[in-house]
Amino acid sequence: MTDRDRLTRWRLVLGGEQSDGIGEAATLEADDLKRDDALRELYDGERRSGLGASAPKVARWLGDIRGYFPSSVVQVMQHDAMDRLGLTQLLLEPELMEAVQPDVGLVATLVGLNRIIPERSRATARAVVRVVTDELEERLRAETVQAVTGALNRASRTRRPKASDIDWNRTIAANLKHYQPEHGTVVPERLVGHARRAHRVERRIILCIDQSGSMAESVVYSSVFGAVLASLRSVETKLVVFDTAVVDLTDELDDPVDVLFGVQLGGGTDINQALAYCEGLIEQPGETVLVLISDLYEGGIAEEMVRRASSIVASGATMVALLALSDSGRPSFDAGHAAALAAVGVPAFACTPDRFPDLMATAIEKRDITAWAAANDIVTTHEPEPTA
């Protein structure tokens, strides 16, 4: 990068005001002037002014920035435009949505608006959402399938196999410490059998998702993971969303777009009621993994929520509470409820999408989830906020 490039970048960042300290040292070429205009329209005006309320003008602006800036910068500018220029309402116009570069944040916005999107815009909104969910599924599918099927195979290996079912390579590896040098052989203490290949359901996974507005990004990722898990024949997957009411979206699981447009973001939260519904879905506790995805701000009966979670764990089911399933960093959550759940055997922590497949593998194999989190530098201890 030349000195001129550095000065030009600083000039575009600082805006060219007299106090920016650059003055005439940086001259802007034609393309730089276009970038400067795009930045000025977004950042120099008053909030919710600048581009005004004209959807065609905003659509052109969004198209322009995609040509002037790299994808990572475009996404930052789109998010800033939502806030500074009041684009939430303008997203209801098809012309605007066709100009937007889709990402998880935009999908979360559209999901939040889906009840008020005009019919003329709905097809365009679904197309934008599908672009993102397809990209996420392509990125996350292989690792999820590999982790879950591998865990199922390991969990299903029998320790008392028939002679024809013995996995000799694994049996020898597991018993090398029993090698008898005088006989030149290994005396196996335990036998390892091949994983059962019968096409039957080996695990039942319930995703229970909080629909409150703060969980929007988690809802997007959950819908994609739900679709991937539902495609596995050895796993029975159910998806439940809740606020003050509970909605079972299991029948929509094969299409994340249908799931997302069946969600109603915002409103209150009744985790206890949601857990009561999910508890009713548990028929074989020893084979069930319940994943509660919530910030744990309970609007229902908190003590009953904790008692119900304790009952689910006592039944033999595996339960984990994810405070967020997103890339957004440390979420806001109710630390007191997180600590109370941890005390009854329900680890509570935030999880990024890239770690979710390994978390599911850990749960399927009934390994210690808290130890897994610690090994991945994930905080699972929470100090409740002091009461006034």
Side-chain angles (χ1 to χ4, degrees), residues 46-99:
E46 295 293 328
R47 284 179 178 266
R48 308 192 187 283
S49 58
L51 295 176
S54 166
K57 185 176 181 181
V58 174
R60 286 195 299 272
W61 179 81
L62 286 167
D64 287 344
I65 65 173
R66 291 170 67 182
Y68 300 156
F69 302 98
S71 176
S72 58
V73 177
V74 169
Q75 292 182 15
V76 171
M77 293 180 72
Q78 282 182 181
H79 291 157
D80 288 348
M82 296 285 185
D83 178 45
R84 298 181 66 86
L85 305 178
L87 294 192
T88 300
Q89 289 301 316
L90 294 180
L91 275 173
L92 304 182
E93 299 300 324
E95 304 90 353
L96 180 64
M97 286 190 286
E98 290 170 356

